[in-house]
Amino acid sequence: MLSHTIAFTKFFTLKRFKMVGVSRDAPLGVQCIQKLYIKLCPRLQINRLRWYQVSVLILTYFTYMTYHLTRKPISVVKSVLHQNCSSLTPPPDVDPTDDQWCNWAPFNTTDANTLLGTLDSAFLFSYAGAMFVSGMIAERVDLRYFLSLGMLTSAIFCYLFGIGRTYNIHNIYYYLIVQAGAGIAQTTGWPGTVATVGKWFGNTKKGLIFGVWNSHTSLGNILGTLMAAEYVDKDWSLSFIYPGLMMGAVGFVIWLFLVPEPKYVGLVPGERNTPIRQCTKSDEEDEAEIVSHDAEPTQVLVGDQGASLRSNRYSANTQHEEPTEHTSLLRRPSLSGSSAVSLSRALSIPGVVEFSLSLFFAKLVSYTFLYWLPLYIKTSTNLTAKQSGKLSTVFDVGGIVGAILAGLVSDCTGCPGIVCVVFYMLCAPSLLVYQTWGASSYTLNVWLLILSGVLVNGPYALITTAVSAELGTHSSLAGNSQALATVTAIIDGTGSVGAAIGPMLAGIVSSSGSWSYVFYMLIACNYMALFLLLRIAKSEIAKLRQERRIASPPRVRIE
């Protein structure tokens, strides 16, 4: 009797999940929503694929927005960790001859800019080093756990930096360790989010989609700057604590609702319209499908093979164990065709090396602005720390426009290399113009910052999103979707090395007293990024000419 009861319960559970299309490995929040939907709207049919694609875009958008939200406060707080004390009135108990009385130890020295640059380097070098490992881990674990745990850890490190002021911690090694830990934790963001979006959108044109989606970077910078600037003059510890709390809250939402792959909800990229519930099949047909489902699990193939849902019996790939709530976090790699690729194989994909090295210099320029722009504005103008932080957000507004524009043009032309080269060519003169005339008036400063943001972040956003996703599903991989996270990590990891070097060099160079040399360095790096993509741009031009010759009708000469 007991065995019959267990069998009936298992049958009913399997049947219900088959009807709903959601597996037991789906997020808890999604399972609850499905149950409520079936109970309240049993006859309503919706396009489940589009519904989940939109939800994934929104959730990953806010995910990576919070990653940048917690990166930005340090650039705003720099202006109060070390500032010009001669313009301030010292308290009665302070020695009037002490010109460092207003600065926070250990940054109360003449080489404070170098120490602040070391903080940036601790974060960015640990980020760059861990990124290559993080991408390979992301291929082997459930991305929902990978992202939510990474967000929680990042939030904790952001909180720890803020309480350094609360508990009067003045040891430089404390801040260096916190920054290094934060850099490692932040490497979970980019491979996890790009791989998740790539699995849901397959090989569709992603330039515009990723261009709009990539605005999360600039929006996170803007919100992080505004939150930090609001408290920087009162209590700079809150500039870190509040962004950390916000990131932890979003991480919990991701754990509840993010569906990392279509297979968790019984979907395949490419389905036109999958109703939330199928009511036309008989019980016998449902039962037969359940038995077949138990005997032959299906799998999702995403890549140049095209997205399809096929039985493993007919698949070119052998069956591999799929992650569940009870499997270990690190799964044993499969020997099938969809197993994780090696680093050397990912590097052999055409274009990966060129775009990675180009991103090295592009990200160097972008992150120098990210970490030093508020301090540069405060130094070159008469604005306060709060006003300088708010003005610096204009650069990120331009970054949003640049990301969308670059993605749109790349989709229309199909030539991301040419798009990046054109942006690089226009970027160098704009940086020189901003350095020369940007401080002459507030209005001109705003417009030049917008222009610089468009041209600096346009190619950077295009390479890290659409280009990475396309290379991760290159035809040479024979439809192996597991390469996406590794390729993304290689490209972004290489760029992150440049991102680590740029702010460090800016801190050393600016300590000499002249910001002009910093801009000369950025212009030189911009031209290096351009030079590295000339071969790809040349091949894309040749491809366009060939397509034009094929498309043009043959000319017939009549004599």
Side-chain angles (χ1 to χ4, degrees):
M1 181 66 181
L2 180 61
S3 61
H4 288 292
T5 305
I6 295 175
F8 176 80
T9 304
K10 182 179 179 181
F11 170 80
F12 177 78
T13 305
L14 286 173
K15 182 174 181 179
R16 184 181 61 179
F17 273 100
K18 179 65 181 178
M19 291 173 66
V20 176
V22 176
S23 73
R24 282 182 289 250
D25 298 325
L28 182 62
V30 173
Q31 294 186 37
C32 293
I33 291 176
Q34 289 279 7
K35 291 176 183 178
L36 289 174
Y37 184 89
I38 290 176
K39 184 177 181 180
L40 300 177
C41 309
R43 297 186 179 277
L44 181 64
Q45 294 186 353
I46 61 173
N47 189 324
R48 296 176 61 225
L49 177 61
R50 292 291 173 261
W51 178 266
Y52 280 113
Q53 284 179 329
V54 171
S55 69
V56 166
L57 279 180
I58 294 174
L59 288 173
T60 53
Y61 184 93
F62 285 102
T63 295
Y64 207 69
M65 182 202 75
T66 58
Y67 274 91
H68 268 258
L69 182 79
T70 53
R71 292 184 197 181
K72 192 62 178 176
I74 183 64
S75 66
V76 178
V77 174
K78 280 178 182 178
S79 58
V80 296
L81 294 178
H82 182 81
Q83 53 187 319
N84 186 5
C85 300
S86 61
S87 60
L88 303 175
T89 303
D93 58 341
V94 172
D95 184 3
T97 61
D98 183 10
D99 59 352
Q100 300 287 340
W101 65 268
C102 65
N103 296 323
W104 182 264
F107 308 105
N108 55 346
T109 59
T110 55
D111 62 340
N113 279 358
T114 303
L115 290 178
L116 293 172
T118 305
L119 284 184
D120 298 337
S121 299
F123 175 92
L124 292 167
F125 275 113
S126 63
Y127 180 90
M131 177 60 75
F132 296 97
V133 180
S134 181
M136 291 185 285
I137 294 176
E139 293 178 354
R140 295 161 169 84
V141 301
D142 189 313
L143 292 175
R144 178 168 62 97
Y145 291 107
F146 185 70
L147 285 171
S148 56
L149 289 175
M151 295 175 72
L152 178 61
T153 308
S154 298
I156 291 173
F157 279 112
C158 186
Y159 178 82
L160 288 175
F161 197 105
I163 64 174
R165 183 187 188 281
T166 305
Y167 293 100
N168 287 316
I169 300 175
H170 298 283
N171 191 325
I172 184 64
Y173 294 105
Y174 171 82
Y175 296 102
L176 288 174
I177 292 173
V178 169
Q179 283 288 88
I184 295 173
Q186 289 259 332
T187 60
T188 58
W190 198 242
T193 53
V194 173
T196 301
V197 174
K199 289 176 184 295
W200 274 99
F201 285 88
N203 283 330
T204 58
K205 286 191 174 182
K206 295 181 281 287
L208 180 58
I209 293 174
F210 272 130
V212 177
W213 178 76
N214 193 66
S215 63
H216 52 45
T217 299
S218 298
L219 181 61
N221 292 338
I222 292 171
L223 294 180
T225 299
L226 294 177
M227 291 180 69
E230 188 64 29
Y231 304 102
V232 64
D233 292 323
K234 305 172 186 177
D235 183 359
W236 59 261
S237 66
L238 299 178
S239 298
F240 292 91
I241 292 174
Y242 285 149
L245 292 176
M246 184 174 178
M247 186 177 197
V250 175
F252 180 69
V253 173
I254 293 302
W255 179 79
L256 280 178
F257 296 105
L258 179 65
V259 182
E261 295 186 50
K263 64 183 179 182
Y264 290 115
V265 289
L267 288 174
V268 188
E271 285 181 339
R272 294 186 175 274
N273 190 9
T274 306
I276 193 69
R277 184 175 182 177
Q278 300 287 353
C279 300
T280 59
K281 296 183 179 181
S282 65
D283 291 341
E284 290 78 7
E285 289 173 326
D286 285 336
E287 183 177 356
E289 284 188 10
I290 295 165
V291 174
S292 176
H293 180 73
D294 288 340
E296 297 176 4
T298 54
Q299 63 182 359
V300 174
L301 301 177
V302 181
D304 283 334
Q305 287 179 321
S308 62
L309 188 63
R310 300 189 301 181
S311 172
N312 284 345
R313 183 175 59 183
Y314 304 109
S315 174
N317 303 322
T318 58
Q319 181 177 350
H320 58 84
E321 180 186 358
E322 297 180 3
T324 66
E325 300 283 350
H326 305 289
T327 53
S328 59
L329 184 62
L330 287 175
R331 299 179 300 179
R332 182 176 299 175
S334 172
L335 298 177
S336 66
S338 62
S339 61
V341 300
S342 64
L343 191 64
S344 59
R345 185 183 177 192
L347 286 171
S348 66
I349 299 172
V352 167
V353 174
E354 289 91 340
F355 278 110
S356 297
L357 294 176
S358 180
L359 185 64
F360 173 93
F361 293 101
K363 212 166 181 181
L364 186 153
V365 177
S366 179
Y367 269 65
T368 300
F369 274 92
L370 174 69
Y371 282 97
W372 288 98
L373 183 56
L375 182 59
Y376 170 74
I377 294 175
K378 186 175 183 296
T379 304
S380 60
T381 63
N382 296 323
L383 301 177
T384 63
K386 183 176 180 179
Q387 292 171 335
S388 299
K390 290 183 176 181
L391 177 59
S392 68
T393 61
V394 176
F395 178 83
D396 294 298
V397 173
I400 295 176
V401 177
I404 297 174
L405 181 62
L408 180 60
V409 176
S410 177
D411 273 352
C412 294
T413 61
C415 301
I418 296 176
V419 175
C420 291
V421 166
V422 172
F423 271 75
Y424 288 144
M425 290 177 62
L426 299 175
C427 180
S430 72
L431 295 180
L432 184 61
V433 170
Y434 176 71
Q435 187 270 327
T436 306
W437 291 290
S440 60
S441 71
Y442 188 89
T443 303
L444 186 59
N445 202 329
V446 169
W447 286 107
L448 289 178
L449 274 179
I450 293 176
L451 178 63
S452 299
V454 169
L455 298 175
V456 168
N457 285 344
Y460 158 46
L462 182 62
I463 294 174
T464 54
T465 53
V467 171
S468 296
E470 185 170 341
L471 292 175
T473 55
H474 194 267
S475 57
S476 63
L477 296 170
N480 187 349
S481 63
Q482 297 297 322
L484 187 56
T486 296
V487 171
T488 300
I490 289 173
I491 294 177
D492 195 56
T494 305
S496 298
V497 177
I501 295 175
M504 180 186 66
L505 292 178
I508 296 173
V509 174
S510 62
S511 297
S512 63
S514 175
W515 284 92
S516 299
Y517 295 110
V518 175
F519 278 90
Y520 298 153
M521 175 190 74
L522 299 181
I523 292 172
C525 291
N526 190 79
Y527 279 120
M528 285 299 299
L530 185 155
F531 174 77
L532 288 164
L533 290 185
L534 286 180
R535 188 185 69 84
I536 291 180
K538 183 179 178 181
S539 64
E540 290 178 349
I541 292 174
K543 183 189 71 172
L544 289 176
R545 289 177 176 174
Q546 182 180 6
E547 291 176 351
R548 185 175 299 176
R549 285 196 300 267
I550 294 175
S552 60
R555 296 180 180 180
V556 179
R557 186 179 230 177
I558 301 176
E559 297 181 354

